[in-house]
Amino acid sequence: MTESNLVLLAKQGDVFAIASLLNSTLQSKAINVQIQVEIKDTCLQITIESLQATNQQLISYLIKKTLT
């Protein structure tokens, strides 16, 4: 699946597409985390797991940038 297809699906609320885009963004910056995305009620819930300490401010910035 191409990135443009993922973006289209993510804009439609597909949680798997959103998670894939976020994981791809962070992996491209050599940030090794696993992201899970769920929609609960009207909220987008993002869970980030990592085996090592990470720069939370950088991850937050990259997630916000990717989502917007």
Side-chain angles (χ1 to χ4, degrees):
M1 182 170 292
T2 66
E3 186 173 332
S4 60
N5 288 343
L6 282 175
V7 170
L8 180 61
L9 289 171
K11 286 181 179 181
Q12 295 172 353
D14 185 304
V15 293
F16 297 107
I18 296 167
S20 180
L21 286 171
L22 292 174
N23 278 314
S24 176
T25 297
L26 294 174
Q27 288 173 358
S28 73
K29 303 293 185 188
I31 300 172
N32 191 19
V33 296
Q34 183 62 37
I35 294 182
Q36 296 174 339
V37 177
E38 297 178 75
I39 296 178
K40 290 193 175 182
D41 297 322
T42 59
C43 296
L44 186 67
Q45 181 176 347
I46 301 171
T47 304
I48 304 165
E49 296 179 354
S50 176
L51 295 176
Q52 53 189 290
T54 58
N55 183 331
Q56 293 178 6
Q57 288 179 322
L58 176 60
I59 290 173
S60 296
Y61 168 78
L62 291 170
I63 287 174
K64 181 179 175 183
K65 183 177 175 183
T66 301
L67 291 176
T68 55

